Amino acid sequence: MVEIPSNFIGDFKVGDNLVYNAGVLRSLCDHNGDGGLNKLVVVQVGAILEAALGQIIYRAQNFNREGVPNIAEADRQEIEGKKIDKLNNIIDVMRKYGLLDELEGGIYDELHALRKFRNKVHIQDDNQDVPCDEAVAFTPARCAWSLGLCATVLGFLSQKFPRPADVAKYVKPLRIPDA
C-alpha cells in the first residue's frame, strides 16, 4: 500500500470522492486474484488520475489568490481562462505548460495510453490503440502498469503542487495499492 498526502486537492468533495475511489481500487485489487477484475482496476485508475490531475487545473483556474506552486503566474492566468474538462485536454494542457516534465519517460504518452484503455469502459469502443480482445488488453501486466503510474503521478502531484500547510490536510491521504 502506498499512502499519498492529498495536499494538492482544491475541491474538498472531489478529494473526498478520490479517497472513496482509492478505497474501491483497493477492494478491486484485493479481489483480483485471478485477474478477472483487471479491466475494472485500469478503468478505476484512469478515473482517479483524471480527477487528481483535474484538481491542478481547477486550482490554477480558481485559486488566483493562493496560486499554485511551480506554475508560473503567467501560465496560471492563461490556464484560468480555458475550458478543460476531459482527460485528453487535461493531459494536453499539462504537456503544454510542462507541469509533469520532471516525471520524464514519456509521462504524457503514458497518460494518453491509460486514457485509451480507460475509455474501453465502453465495450463497443473501436480504438485501434487498444486490442479489441479485452482479455488481451487487460493483462496482469497492464493492471500493474496502471497501478504504478497512479502511485507515481499522485506522489508527484503531492510533492510538486501542495497547498499551503494550513489548508493541505482537509482531505485524508490517498491509499493506493502497490503494483
Side-chain angles (χ1 to χ4, degrees):
M1 197 67 50
V2 178
E3 188 169 287
I4 300 164
S6 55
N7 57 348
F8 60 91
I9 296 169
D11 181 309
F12 173 79
K13 188 34 87 181
V14 171
D16 191 38
N17 288 337
L18 277 166
V19 169
Y20 172 82
N21 279 279
V24 170
L25 180 61
R26 288 192 312 276
S27 183
L28 286 169
C29 289
D30 288 347
H31 295 89
N32 194 26
D34 67 353
L37 301 175
N38 286 343
K39 176 180 179 173
L40 299 177
V41 169
V42 173
V43 169
Q44 186 73 356
V45 164
I48 287 170
L49 283 180
E50 180 173 14
L53 292 168
Q55 281 299 288
I56 305 306
I57 303 299
Y58 172 82
R59 286 176 53 212
Q61 292 176 327
N62 296 289
F63 289 29
N64 43 17
R65 274 193 278 177
E66 182 180 304
V68 183
N70 298 306
I71 297 181
E73 180 57 19
D75 289 347
R76 191 205 63 74
Q77 288 178 1
E78 200 171 307
I79 293 168
E80 183 177 20
K82 295 181 184 276
K83 181 179 185 328
I84 306 164
D85 62 349
K86 295 193 181 225
L87 184 53
N88 181 66
N89 299 342
I90 291 169
I91 297 167
D92 288 346
V93 166
M94 295 207 148
R95 183 191 309 253
K96 178 179 179 180
Y97 295 102
L99 301 183
L100 304 175
D101 285 1
E102 291 174 43
L103 288 175
E104 299 173 340
I107 187 63
Y108 303 106
D109 292 336
E110 280 196 76
L111 289 168
H112 275 302
L114 177 66
R115 175 185 58 81
K116 291 172 184 176
F117 280 91
R118 190 273 322 256
N119 286 348
K120 280 296 281 181
V121 71
H122 306 289
I123 296 169
Q124 76 284 2
D125 190 29
D126 186 20
N127 181 336
Q128 64 192 21
D129 297 320
V130 177
C132 290
D133 184 344
E134 292 197 357
V136 174
F138 297 102
T139 62
R142 176 89 52 223
C143 187
W145 164 78
S146 72
L147 290 167
L149 182 63
C150 187
T152 297
V153 172
L154 292 176
F156 180 78
L157 296 178
S158 177
Q159 291 175 358
K160 188 75 174 178
F161 303 108
R163 297 199 55 210
D166 61 325
V167 293
K169 295 185 181 185
Y170 285 112
V171 177
K172 293 178 187 175
L174 302 170
R175 296 178 54 233
I176 303 297
D178 284 329

